[in-house]
Amino acid sequence: MYRNSKEKENKNNDNMSREKQKSVYILGDSMVKKVNGYFMTKNLRHKYLVKVRSYPKAKVSCMTDHVKPTIREEIPDNIILHAGTNELRSEKTSSQIAKSIIDLAMSIKNDVTSVIVSSIVPRFDEFNNKANEVNNRLVHMCRERDIPFISHTETIDPNKHLNESKLHLNFNGLKIFAENFSTFLSEFD
């Protein structure tokens, strides 16, 4: 079965580290669709098992309907919630959008060890200012409620990191987006 005792020891260490491994679900709209959980797990040296669930075109109210069954099937240790992008075109104010995101985070916070809120990605259209307003409100609301927050506004440049639609991330933008999650998780406990 094992060629030598060193190989057996490595296998035992690998099994022990997987037992201690925490799970993270990244739940979000279409922005998270191409984030690769397998590669994030590898990049984080298996500290976390990362799974990604994308719900394209989902507004925050729809995310509520998607999130509950997802965490009922397998309760993750942590959830990164990325929502609000699809609300920007609605009549809702930035305050209302931010509040709906926080309400969703608070509603699932009891079911998992922690919920982390991810900011809306900067855009290159008439809704970029609204996205910035939502993000600014989220920063304050997360701080008040002791919810960890991941910001993408400092690292993603809409002039360089969006695809031709100017709404979704290009390859380099996606890479930075995933690195923002990985960097946060590497320092999070």
Side-chain angles (χ1 to χ4, degrees):
M1 176 152 55
Y2 297 106
R3 285 182 243 156
N4 58 44
S5 62
K6 187 71 171 168
E7 187 176 313
K8 184 177 180 178
E9 182 181 324
N10 287 343
K11 182 72 172 169
N12 288 338
N13 287 341
D14 194 39
N15 287 338
M16 284 175 39
S17 69
R18 290 195 194 278
E19 288 173 13
K20 295 177 188 175
Q21 186 180 45
K22 292 183 178 183
S23 60
V24 175
Y25 277 19
I26 300 174
L27 305 175
D29 53 35
S30 61
M31 294 303 268
V32 304
K33 180 171 60 176
K34 293 185 180 178
V35 173
N36 189 313
Y38 173 78
F39 287 121
M40 286 183 67
T41 298
K42 271 182 79 173
N43 289 341
L44 290 164
R45 300 178 189 261
H46 298 279
K47 176 181 176 182
Y48 291 102
L49 173 63
V50 180
K51 294 184 179 184
V52 180
R53 301 279 197 277
S54 174
Y55 308 101
K57 298 184 181 178
K59 294 186 176 180
V60 178
S61 59
C62 295
M63 288 293 295
T64 303
D65 297 336
H66 293 301
V67 168
K68 294 289 184 175
T70 300
I71 62 176
R72 254 194 318 264
E73 98 186 17
E74 179 184 329
I75 300 173
D77 296 300
N78 305 283
I79 287 178
I80 296 176
L81 183 62
H82 184 84
T85 305
N86 296 314
E87 238 85 13
L88 295 174
R89 293 182 183 275
S90 74
E91 296 297 318
K92 288 185 178 180
T93 66
S94 54
S95 294
Q96 290 170 323
I97 296 169
K99 183 181 180 323
S100 66
I101 294 167
I102 294 300
D103 288 347
L104 174 56
M106 296 301 289
S107 76
I108 59 177
K109 191 173 182 179
N110 296 332
D111 297 325
V112 294
T113 303
S114 64
V115 176
I116 301 130
V117 172
S118 169
S119 75
I120 295 174
V121 171
R123 301 163 62 94
F124 201 78
D125 66 4
E126 68 272 19
F127 297 105
N128 191 48
N129 287 338
K130 192 173 184 181
N132 288 334
E133 290 172 13
V134 172
N135 288 335
N136 289 335
R137 294 187 191 310
L138 284 173
V139 167
H140 296 295
M141 294 173 93
C142 285
R143 194 174 298 136
E144 288 171 356
R145 290 161 182 83
D146 199 29
I147 298 172
F149 183 76
I150 300 172
S151 176
H152 304 289
T153 56
E154 296 83 21
T155 54
I156 295 178
D157 181 347
N159 293 309
K160 293 192 256 182
H161 300 124
L162 298 179
N163 66 14
E164 293 169 2
S165 73
K166 299 297 183 192
L167 299 176
H168 287 94
L169 298 167
N170 61 23
F171 178 79
N172 290 329
L174 182 63
K175 185 176 173 187
I176 293 168
F177 187 57
E179 285 173 3
N180 289 344
F181 292 136
S182 292
T183 300
F184 178 88
L185 289 170
S186 68
E187 299 168 1
F188 183 71
D189 264 330

